[in-house]
Amino acid sequence: MSSEKFLTVDQSTYCVPDISVKELLGCIPAHCHQRSALRSSLYIVQDVAIIALVYKAATYADEFLNTVTLPHPLLYPAARLAIWALYGFWTGLFATGLWVVAHECGHQAFSTSKTINNTVGWFLHSGLGVPYQAWRITHANHHAHTGHMTQDQVFVPSTRSERNLPPLNAEKEDLLGSRVSEEIAREFWEALGDSPISAMWGSMSYLLGGWPSYIIRNASGQKRYPKGTSHFNPNSPMFRKDHYNQIMISNAGILIWATVIGTWIYQRGFAEVFRLYLVPYLWVNHWLVLITFLQHTDPLLPHYRAPEFTFPRGALSTMDRNLLGDCGALMGWIGAFATHGISETHVAHHVASKIPHYHAWEASAAIKKKVAQYGLTLEGAPGGWREVYRVYKECKFVEDEGDVVFYKNAQGLARCRPVFHDSTVSDSGVEMESK
């Protein structure tokens, strides 16, 4: 009898939904699809006004420092640093709200006019360093193929072979990830590296550099694209030939943006530009990656290969999270308010992307009520830095085999397995529950 020792995990089950597009869309109240350019524009005014107030408050506090006497000279630069650090954080958070409005323009959710949508979206996204048309095109493809292993555009899991891990050993590990021998687990651990320091460094670098890395060189994007694939290249395989002029318009926006930043630095100095714009800009990029990473990455979320993929399954393979909810109820409310609920209503956004954010809450409630009939819960843990660290540690790779796959951790164990409605195991390795 073998003395091989195994590690095991108590897995959750994910009921793969069998729901039609008509049924999924039919549960959303009709008025949720109504779009208003005026109402959408008021959110731009709101975000800009709040950012202006934050700037005025920081300026006033900075000037006030010159009128008070502090017990030690070093407290003055420390206090100034704290004032402008807070300015950068809050400005970045509410500028993310502007990013969300620009993103809705790309989905034609800002208004009923395509011209208005694309004009407002180009201005807002260009001002935030985003190539509007290029990202709009790939993001639409992401929505059409969410969770698809070979068609999705971003947050595509690395497979066992892509991580250069040893082939599956059926005698020492389970395809579904419920058990793995200690020997194989050690091999995984050594190959993947999962120390707290490496996980913290990896998640931090991901948050800070993930967005420009994706736009410039397709980091975390579709693996079948060749190395060097970029949103700035109109001949990229991400785009069709008829997209050429749109990509060039996007590039023009980025060129204008870079010219304005460069001129500002030349005229006023790097320190001012860094303090007033670049720090909030880095926060916007950080929030964008944090929000979208947690919406699409979790050990409880499935990814599909072609035989099992449908649009509803892809749309429901995302997760709603309360942004900053792990910092307390007040911060959770502020996070949702500042970013227009983009993190809290993301599943509804994938089901019907033309729904504006101010109707997404009602649409989200209707969808959650509907899919509860299929045993699905669309709420994840609150979104924040602690959650990014946890997910980064638990989501290392998926198997090369199987049409419905879940992430495995650095020991080769998966927290979830897919189920259908009979008691067999399919050829794709999907276990099926009895009726």
Side-chain angles (χ1 to χ4, degrees):
M1 184 176 181
S2 173
S3 60
E4 186 84 61
K5 294 183 178 180
F6 284 82
L7 302 178
T8 61
V9 63
D10 291 330
Q11 293 182 319
S12 301
T13 57
Y14 180 88
C15 299
V16 179
D18 189 13
I19 184 172
S20 68
V21 175
K22 182 178 180 181
E23 188 178 4
L24 195 56
L25 293 176
C27 71
I28 301 173
H31 67 267
C32 289
H33 297 277
Q34 296 175 1
R35 299 160 287 167
S36 166
L38 175 60
R39 185 171 180 180
S40 296
S41 297
L42 292 177
Y43 286 95
I44 299 177
V45 174
Q46 169 193 287
D47 294 338
V48 171
I50 291 174
I51 290 170
L53 287 174
V54 172
Y55 170 74
K56 291 297 291 184
T59 302
Y60 175 81
D62 195 5
E63 293 172 350
F64 179 73
L65 270 181
N66 297 324
T67 67
V68 299
T69 302
L70 298 178
H72 195 283
L74 289 179
L75 291 177
Y76 287 97
R80 288 201 75 209
L81 179 63
I83 288 169
W84 291 105
L86 287 171
Y87 159 84
F89 173 83
W90 290 112
T91 298
L93 186 63
F94 281 92
T96 304
L98 289 173
W99 203 105
V100 171
V101 175
H103 151 259
E104 291 196 343
C105 290
H107 284 291
Q108 306 302 308
F110 183 85
S111 77
T112 57
S113 166
K114 187 175 182 179
T115 300
I116 292 175
N117 289 330
N118 288 339
T119 301
V120 174
W122 183 86
F123 274 101
L124 288 178
H125 261 166
S126 296
L128 293 167
V130 179
Y132 170 71
Q133 291 286 8
W135 186 81
R136 178 191 65 79
I137 291 166
T138 60
H139 189 63
N141 202 3
H142 158 66
H143 270 256
H145 303 97
T146 308
H148 196 299
M149 285 294 294
T150 57
Q151 297 298 325
D152 201 354
Q153 299 296 296
V154 68
F155 300 117
V156 181
S158 295
T159 63
R160 176 189 286 259
S161 60
E162 288 167 344
R163 295 302 299 263
N164 295 316
L165 296 171
L168 181 74
N169 186 331
E171 295 181 358
K172 296 187 176 183
E173 55 180 316
D174 175 23
L175 174 65
L176 296 176
S178 63
R179 65 196 291 268
V180 60
S181 72
E182 291 184 351
E183 175 191 352
I184 299 295
R186 281 194 299 270
E187 288 186 40
F188 285 145
W189 191 273
E190 291 173 2
L192 297 172
D194 199 43
S195 70
I197 293 177
S198 66
M200 185 174 294
W201 172 254
S203 56
M204 285 177 59
S205 61
Y206 196 70
L207 291 176
L208 292 174
W211 170 247
S213 295
Y214 169 63
I215 290 294
I216 295 170
R217 59 181 183 86
N218 194 43
S220 297
Q222 180 49 245
K223 305 294 191 292
R224 62 185 173 84
Y225 291 151
K227 188 176 182 180
T229 296
S230 172
H231 278 73
F232 297 103
N233 180 4
N235 297 314
S236 166
M238 295 186 290
F239 309 123
R240 301 193 308 263
K241 289 184 179 180
D242 60 305
H243 288 148
Y244 186 93
N245 289 339
Q246 296 177 60
I247 307 308
M248 297 308 293
I249 291 172
S250 290
N251 290 348
I254 297 303
L255 181 61
I256 294 170
W257 168 75
T259 301
V260 171
I261 298 299
T263 303
W264 186 7
I265 292 173
Y266 178 78
Q267 295 289 338
R268 302 287 297 178
F270 179 78
E272 178 178 294
V273 179
F274 181 78
R275 172 169 52 94
L276 296 183
Y277 181 86
L278 293 181
V279 171
Y281 168 76
L282 290 173
W283 272 114
V284 171
N285 289 353
H286 153 275
W287 288 122
L288 171 62
V289 174
L290 184 149
I291 290 168
T292 54
F293 172 71
L294 291 179
Q295 287 166 344
H296 296 281
T297 313
D298 194 274
L300 302 180
L301 290 177
H303 285 80
Y304 296 94
R305 293 192 169 93
E308 291 294 346
F309 179 83
T310 64
F311 174 81
R313 286 178 177 177
L316 298 176
S317 68
T318 62
M319 186 172 280
D320 291 343
R321 300 180 187 267
N322 180 209
L323 182 62
L324 292 177
D326 60 352
C327 297
L330 177 60
M331 285 298 292
W333 178 84
I334 292 174
F337 172 75
T339 60
H340 306 309
I342 189 63
S343 183
E344 291 78 3
T345 62
H346 191 69
V347 177
H349 174 63
H350 267 269
V351 171
S353 60
K354 284 188 178 181
I355 292 178
H357 67 269
Y358 41 85
H359 291 318
W361 298 92
E362 185 177 357
S364 180
I367 291 169
K368 288 174 182 176
K369 182 178 180 181
K370 180 66 178 179
V371 301
Q373 303 171 13
Y374 293 82
L376 293 180
T377 301
L378 306 179
E379 293 279 354
W385 301 287
R386 180 171 54 191
E387 185 66 1
V388 170
Y389 174 77
R390 180 191 71 81
V391 171
Y392 189 88
K393 281 177 65 70
E394 291 193 24
C395 297
K396 296 299 184 182
F397 71 97
V398 299
E399 290 294 346
D400 294 282
E401 305 171 51
D403 293 330
V404 185
V405 293
F406 288 83
Y407 270 110
K408 291 184 175 181
N409 63 17
Q411 294 178 311
L413 295 171
R415 284 185 54 199
C416 198
R417 61 186 175 89
V419 295
F420 287 113
H421 294 289
D422 59 49
S423 58
T424 64
V425 176
S426 73
D427 293 338
S428 62
V430 178
E431 186 175 344
M432 302 180 178
E433 284 190 336
S434 58
K435 294 181 179 179

